[in-house]
Amino acid sequence: MAAGPTSASATRGAGGIAGLARAAREETGTGTIDAGKKGRLNSAPMKGLGGFGRASRAMQRRSAQRAAGHALLGLIWVAGCGAGAAVIPGRVLPENAADLLRAAPGTYQPSPAQMQGFSGGDELGQILEGAGPPAAHGRLRHDLALDCLAGATAEVYIEANRGPVKSLRQWLAWKCGVASAMLTWRVDAARGRDKSGRLDRRLAAFARRLWALNPADTAYGVARRTRGQWGVQGVVLDSGGVVLAPTPKRFSPGDTLALDLRAPPGLVDPAFYIGAEGGKVTRQRVTPGPDGKITLRHKLPMKPGRYFVELNAIQVTRSDVAPDELWHRPVLLFPVHVGVAEPAAPDSFILNPSPNPPDRAAWADAIVAAYNAERRRFGLAPLTLDPAVGAIAARRSESTARADEVLPPDDTLAAQLKANGVLPRQTWQFTGSAEFISEHVAVMLQNPSSRYALLSPGATRIGIGITAGAPPPAEDPSSEEPSGEVPSWYVELVVNERPAQPGEARPAQPGESARPAQ
């Protein structure tokens, strides 16, 4: 079972950083299985709320002890969102962050000269680099675009008492010129006269753990923000190892997108998924040169708009793990703006997500209805919401919710599907976490590899498992989650079926019949 489109924020091969940052990151993944070939799940990007939400809630526990002079914000009011529009903290930019991002670079992987004024401070980098062993010093690379992202993350938390939600974090990354899809976040808070010293010590301790668990090359950004007696420190790590040449964010219609990058030796089976005119997605496989160089030249659409670009691949980071035991995942993910300006504000699905249906049992139907509405635009048959496939997805989402992170590939998936009357030619598995299903659907239909799978003409069945994540810790009423929503883990299996081979018995169908979703 080999690769198709997909992604995950952490794979078995990335175990070091993934284990280190369980308390400070969010993950999402996708996977595909091609029947008849040896292989495992692959994954494609999405990014959910898991670990970073835990970090934010841990910070909330500390925040609950704030002095009365620094009260928690309940709902914050934001100009430009409509008169009297209540906005959920973590879904909007505080003014300080908005001011900073107005000067954000017009390129991805900007040069240091473009990022002057975004540095989180050389002294913080010296603490992080100095805490590791001498042999590790050459493996850390300070990236000022990641400083920008770390600073914006800290600004959101210190103003709203929670970190930015997954979709806003991704948008902030693009604004700061970060194209990597392999990011890890950590946030710490401290108060009192020695807050700076305490944050210094936490940063050094984090760096020592980082090198003990993950000696791979890593780019980092770090920034600190102070308000009154409180200090908040953000750290962002990029463990992808891909070095992208500076690339413009904005193009004229019909321009050629020129991407030049150097990939690490462990990048296997890379392919670009690129948004095209009319909402289509093209897939283009590439072959790294002996030096890891990858070059792409792609003619952009004539129709103005925002188009997403994703590099999806297997990344082998450990010599004791075979490539076919890892997932395809997004390595790079970013939009390019053709004949239009880069948006100054986040998407509406980030700022104002639609309320979830009150009956959780109706969520899967609502998700598939949205996918099928998009399929109808292309004249495609609707996906069938299959209860047997859904039961497999539900078990997976329950296990994922217990672990609170994306799990390693499941090499029994094809056998489970066949045992339930489904012969898979190819199966995509997507795993992610989000508070609102409207946000989840928007991200799935936005990101190229997941959109490619959902709009595959051969896709016939879908199963969805949704499991509530861990609720926020009990606190005094003033720090209660204003959204009233606990992030849920979603596992979706999209199946391309195949006919039975000569002499192969068609597996028995389960007793409960599948139904086409509306």
Side-chain angles (χ1 to χ4, degrees):
M1 294 167 249
T6 49
S7 79
S9 290
T11 65
R12 192 179 306 171
I17 281 187
L20 171 67
R22 279 195 57 170
R25 78 160 184 277
E26 120 191 359
E27 295 186 298
T28 317
T30 4
T32 61
I33 292 182
D34 291 339
K37 300 180 183 178
K38 185 180 179 183
R40 306 294 172 92
L41 289 176
N42 313 304
S43 49
M46 197 170 55
K47 294 260 179 200
L49 255 174
F52 189 85
R54 290 197 302 277
S56 296
R57 292 194 293 270
M59 291 171 66
Q60 282 182 321
R61 286 194 292 272
R62 295 190 290 271
S63 300
Q65 303 168 2
R66 290 184 178 185
H70 191 74
L72 290 167
L73 298 177
L75 295 178
I76 55 181
W77 304 84
V78 181
C81 293
V87 179
I88 301 168
R91 292 187 175 274
V92 72
L93 294 179
E95 194 57 36
N96 286 344
D99 286 343
L100 180 74
L101 294 177
R102 287 188 187 100
T107 61
Y108 295 107
Q109 199 62 47
S111 67
Q114 292 176 284
M115 298 305 294
Q116 294 303 317
F118 288 90
S119 174
D122 290 341
E123 66 279 2
L124 297 180
Q126 291 168 5
I127 293 171
L128 195 149
E129 294 189 31
H137 291 175
R139 299 196 187 104
L140 269 179
R141 177 172 59 86
H142 190 189
D143 187 323
L144 295 182
L146 294 178
D147 274 3
C148 170
L149 181 53
T153 300
E155 287 284 1
V156 171
Y157 189 88
I158 204 167
E159 292 295 334
N161 194 47
R162 62 166 292 176
V165 298
K166 66 172 179 85
S167 51
L168 179 56
R169 230 167 37 255
Q170 179 66 84
W171 185 87
L172 290 171
W174 297 330
K175 288 294 289 185
C176 287
V178 177
S180 175
M182 302 181 67
L183 302 176
T184 301
W185 278 262
R186 178 183 176 88
V187 178
D188 285 297
R191 68 172 182 172
R193 285 179 294 181
D194 189 37
K195 56 181 176 290
S196 294
R198 291 169 63 193
L199 290 174
D200 287 349
R201 291 189 289 273
R202 290 179 188 174
L203 183 60
F206 172 74
R208 287 191 291 270
R209 294 176 61 204
L210 170 65
W211 289 113
L213 292 171
N214 190 83
D217 292 354
T218 301
Y220 75 87
V222 59
R224 190 176 294 174
R225 298 292 184 266
T226 302
R227 296 289 187 279
Q229 64 175 330
W230 276 90
V232 174
Q233 178 172 271
V235 181
V236 182
L237 305 177
D238 175 7
S239 60
V242 173
V243 180
L244 177 69
T247 301
K249 295 181 179 180
R250 190 173 178 181
F251 295 83
S252 296
D255 277 357
T256 296
L257 171 65
L259 296 180
D260 296 288
L261 58 98
R262 195 171 303 279
L267 206 69
V268 177
D269 194 28
F272 281 97
Y273 293 83
I274 305 173
E277 199 166 318
K280 298 179 180 179
V281 178
T282 63
R283 181 173 184 262
Q284 185 172 336
R285 298 185 71 173
V286 290
T287 301
D291 58 354
K293 185 177 181 180
I294 294 176
T295 299
L296 175 76
R297 298 294 183 266
H298 177 82
K299 185 175 176 59
L300 292 168
M302 292 299 298
K303 182 178 180 180
R306 180 177 65 171
Y307 297 89
F308 284 85
V309 179
E310 177 185 329
L311 174 62
N312 194 285
I314 296 172
Q315 189 170 46
V316 180
T317 56
R318 283 172 39 190
S319 59
D320 60 331
V321 179
D324 63 4
E325 294 186 8
L326 296 176
W327 300 20
H328 277 81
R329 55 167 297 157
V331 180
L332 300 176
L333 175 65
F334 57 94
V336 293
H337 307 280
V338 177
V340 297
E342 182 182 20
D347 297 84
S348 60
F349 74 82
I350 301 174
L351 296 176
N352 300 296
S354 300
N356 288 329
D359 181 7
R360 289 182 66 92
W363 289 14
D365 288 284
I367 291 170
V368 182
Y371 295 160
N372 282 337
E374 193 69 2
R375 287 177 66 87
R376 280 195 296 273
R377 288 185 54 224
F378 296 90
L380 301 173
L383 295 170
T384 294
L385 187 58
D386 190 304
V389 179
I392 298 171
R395 289 193 292 272
R396 187 72 171 175
S397 71
E398 290 164 1
S399 298
T400 303
R402 284 194 297 271
D404 207 14
E405 64 180 344
V406 175
L407 298 175
D410 180 1
D411 59 3
T412 70
L413 180 55
Q416 292 182 63
L417 291 168
K418 188 172 182 178
N420 283 276
V422 180
L423 290 175
R425 182 191 308 276
Q426 186 177 51
T427 301
W428 288 271
Q429 174 178 298
F430 299 89
T431 301
S433 176
E435 292 175 323
F436 296 92
I437 64 172
S438 61
E439 179 181 35
H440 169 76
V441 167
V443 172
M444 286 287 285
L445 291 175
Q446 171 182 275
N447 291 352
S449 63
S450 52
R451 184 176 181 85
Y452 183 92
L454 290 167
L455 298 182
S456 169
T460 53
R461 304 188 190 210
I462 186 170
I464 300 179
I466 306 172
T467 302
E475 297 177 349
D476 57 20
S478 63
S479 60
E480 184 178 346
E481 287 284 347
S483 71
E485 294 292 339
V486 174
S488 294
W489 281 99
Y490 298 78
V491 172
E492 299 185 12
L493 302 175
V494 182
V495 181
N496 286 22
E497 290 185 272
R498 64 173 176 83
Q501 302 298 315
E504 180 184 25
R506 180 78 189 179
Q509 298 291 320
E512 185 179 5
S513 61
R515 67 188 188 280
Q518 299 302 312

